[in-house]
Amino acid sequence: MFTLAFQGFKQESLSKKWAQVPAGKKFLGYISVLFLSFFMPVAWAQSESSEPNHLHSSVQETERQLLAGFYALKNLQIEQAIEQFSELSETAPSYKLAKMLKADLLSIQAGQSLSKQRFRAHYPKTIAALKNEARVRWQFSENSAVYIPPLENFLLKSADQPYVVFVDIAHRRLHLYRQVEKHWVKLEDFYISIGAQGTGKLKEGDRRTPLGVYLISDVIETSRLPDFYGSGALPINYPNLWDRTQNRTGSGIWLHGVPSDTYARNPDASRGCVVLTNDAMTTLMETYSLPLSTPVILWDSQKRGEPRIQVVANDSVLSSLKSKITDESAEVDWKTVSIYKYPNEKSLYLVTLKTKQTNVLEHQYWRYHQSPNSVNHYQWRLEAQAQEPIEIRYEFK
């Protein structure tokens, strides 16, 4: 009820009229402004739910507490919000967002909101980063009840790999799937941070996260890592064959954790890597022990120039492509073939095949053109092909 009434209110410049408002209403007004300052860009008012969605993994308990605090704040349940953020500050003492929210509420409750504003003015970049994280997490929570990651649009056929990682960059979420009886079952989803300059990596040092289909090429335990990378790292094979044909440069793109004094990174803070919390990274590496050659699909629905996801008959695409692949090599075992629609590229497909060498996969990049005379007739062209090792050990300099 106070949301609209206080949209234009600025705590740093109290008017005489505001000074005459009863203390109780002032307090609720401050809370409304605090909530709006975090979530004004998010269409939260359209949601009819009053409780956060129940997340399935114990690793997500921290996020559940954070969202419960947001919902309490939205509903002006101040004591409940303070309780949630206080508990979260204790269970995750390195979580700066929880500490800031707790401090904000306590300062408002104590009538020291102006002091809070002065403090924030000294750390504008830090405050902006924390607000950005809050908005990203809240927005995903609001949409998660109806959101289905479009994995099936990109993974057309899989061999016998047990897991696939699907990274939805627009939502800043990493989704982990396991193959169960030829079906993919979602196990986890985690908040992530990406490159400070966005996506579409082109060259070394551009601080962008690459887009495409990659394979985990190494497993680096925390004992081999500087503290900056947290509880472990899973390097991927960037630049892959397709990147190299496009003259993209750079190296060292990993999934990794955060320093021991940090709980989570700003959504846009890395040098190009996909950064998770240490708990999430430990889950990937220890609970599921993701093996080498696990596919990692990096997709950005908001990338400029991203072709619309086309509703095509996957069966006809697979049938047509199978004919081309088997024509190239009669020795191909179709059961060992995986096929991916390449994200953020028009009509490009990655095919991986097992070879006679145990630790080597063949990578083929195919592009099709539909015949104007038949919707289901595809003219395929092999754009690039190479055999590459499954394991690429990262050498520390």
Side-chain angles (χ1 to χ4, degrees):
M1 58 181 147
F2 288 92
T3 300
L4 294 177
F6 291 97
Q7 278 186 11
F9 169 66
K10 293 185 178 180
Q11 296 177 35
E12 64 269 25
S13 58
L14 291 174
S15 66
K16 291 182 180 180
K17 186 175 181 179
W18 176 252
Q20 297 171 0
V21 176
K25 288 188 177 181
K26 276 185 184 179
F27 178 69
L28 293 177
Y30 281 125
I31 297 302
S32 295
V33 171
L34 175 63
F35 190 82
L36 285 167
S37 73
F38 275 82
F39 304 116
M40 182 63 87
V42 180
W44 58 270
Q46 297 175 5
S47 173
E48 296 179 358
S49 62
S50 59
E51 295 293 333
N53 294 313
H54 293 287
L55 301 169
H56 298 97
S57 170
S58 60
V59 178
Q60 301 283 12
E61 178 60 20
T62 298
E63 189 164 41
R64 187 203 64 76
Q65 279 189 295
L66 179 69
L67 295 174
F70 287 159
Y71 274 92
L73 188 58
K74 170 186 170 181
N75 295 318
L76 299 180
Q77 298 169 335
I78 310 310
E79 294 299 330
Q80 292 92 322
I82 292 175
E83 180 180 352
Q84 290 291 343
F85 297 137
S86 296
E87 289 180 5
L88 187 50
S89 297
E90 292 177 6
T91 57
S94 61
Y95 199 3
K96 297 179 178 67
L97 176 57
K99 288 186 172 182
M100 183 187 72
L101 288 163
K102 174 187 173 183
D104 279 358
L105 289 173
L106 291 175
S107 66
I108 292 172
Q109 193 177 54
Q112 298 177 349
S113 58
L114 291 178
S115 297
K116 173 180 71 69
Q117 289 298 320
R118 294 191 189 100
F119 176 81
R120 284 187 168 206
H122 283 87
Y123 303 98
K125 290 184 178 180
T126 299
I127 299 302
L130 294 175
K131 283 186 177 182
N132 192 20
E133 180 191 343
R135 291 190 187 103
V136 165
R137 288 185 183 269
W138 175 266
Q139 192 165 31
F140 180 76
S141 172
E142 289 287 89
N143 296 330
S144 61
V146 295
Y147 170 76
I148 301 175
L151 176 68
E152 63 184 14
N153 291 304
F154 298 98
L155 180 54
L156 275 64
K157 182 188 181 303
S158 57
D160 56 358
Q161 67 261 29
Y163 299 102
V164 64
V165 174
F166 182 76
V167 181
D168 183 343
I169 288 176
H171 287 97
R172 301 298 189 273
R173 304 298 290 196
L174 179 149
H175 305 273
L176 176 66
Y177 291 82
R178 178 162 53 201
Q179 188 169 202
V180 179
E181 297 180 352
K182 303 300 181 181
H183 292 88
W184 289 100
V185 178
K186 192 169 88 164
L187 302 174
E188 307 281 359
D189 73 76
F190 300 122
Y191 163 84
I192 61 164
S193 173
I194 65 160
Q197 297 300 318
T199 58
K201 187 169 185 64
L202 297 175
K203 60 183 180 180
E204 181 80 37
D206 63 7
R207 302 178 71 85
R208 293 180 180 272
T209 298
L211 300 172
V213 180
Y214 299 93
L215 304 179
I216 291 176
S217 57
D218 196 4
V219 177
I220 307 178
E221 305 293 340
T222 187
S223 59
R224 292 173 56 198
L225 289 169
D227 181 64
F228 178 81
Y229 297 101
S231 58
L234 296 170
I236 61 175
N237 65 327
Y238 176 88
N240 62 21
L241 174 60
W242 182 250
D243 293 315
R244 298 194 298 272
T245 65
Q246 304 302 303
N247 298 315
R248 297 169 188 158
T249 61
S251 62
I253 300 297
W254 300 353
L255 313 181
H256 67 78
V258 294
S260 55
D261 64 351
T262 302
Y263 179 77
R265 298 277 294 276
N266 167 19
D268 309 290
S270 82
R271 290 176 288 192
C273 294
V274 174
V275 182
L276 300 89
T277 67
N278 284 333
D279 286 345
M281 200 66 217
T282 299
T283 300
L284 295 182
M285 295 185 66
E286 296 183 8
T287 304
Y288 299 111
S289 300
L290 297 189
L292 296 176
S293 76
T294 295
V296 178
I297 301 171
L298 297 167
W299 171 61
D300 185 1
S301 62
Q302 296 180 352
K303 183 68 176 176
R304 188 175 182 180
E306 158 66 353
R308 289 176 176 267
I309 293 179
Q310 296 177 320
V311 180
V312 296
N314 286 346
D315 288 344
S316 63
V317 172
L318 287 174
S319 176
S320 176
L321 189 52
K322 179 180 180 180
S323 297
K324 293 298 295 184
I325 294 170
T326 53
D327 285 348
E328 293 288 326
S329 175
E331 299 179 356
V332 171
D333 182 355
W334 188 244
K335 292 184 294 185
T336 69
V337 174
S338 293
I339 300 178
Y340 310 87
K341 168 70 178 70
Y342 212 78
N344 298 91
E345 291 277 358
K346 185 177 180 180
S347 305
L348 184 69
Y349 290 79
L350 166 63
V351 177
T352 62
L353 310 88
K354 287 187 176 180
T355 67
K356 293 180 180 180
Q357 296 175 268
T358 304
N359 297 315
V360 175
L361 281 177
E362 182 165 327
H363 298 241
Q364 299 179 358
Y365 292 85
W366 293 83
R367 194 185 295 277
Y368 78 79
H369 301 275
Q370 281 186 311
S371 170
N373 300 321
S374 174
V375 174
N376 292 325
H377 180 69
Y378 302 92
Q379 298 174 339
W380 292 96
R381 181 173 65 245
L382 182 60
E383 302 279 0
Q385 179 180 18
Q387 293 188 357
E388 301 195 340
I390 289 175
E391 184 175 23
I392 306 173
R393 294 281 291 181
Y394 186 82
E395 299 295 334
F396 291 91
K397 297 178 180 179

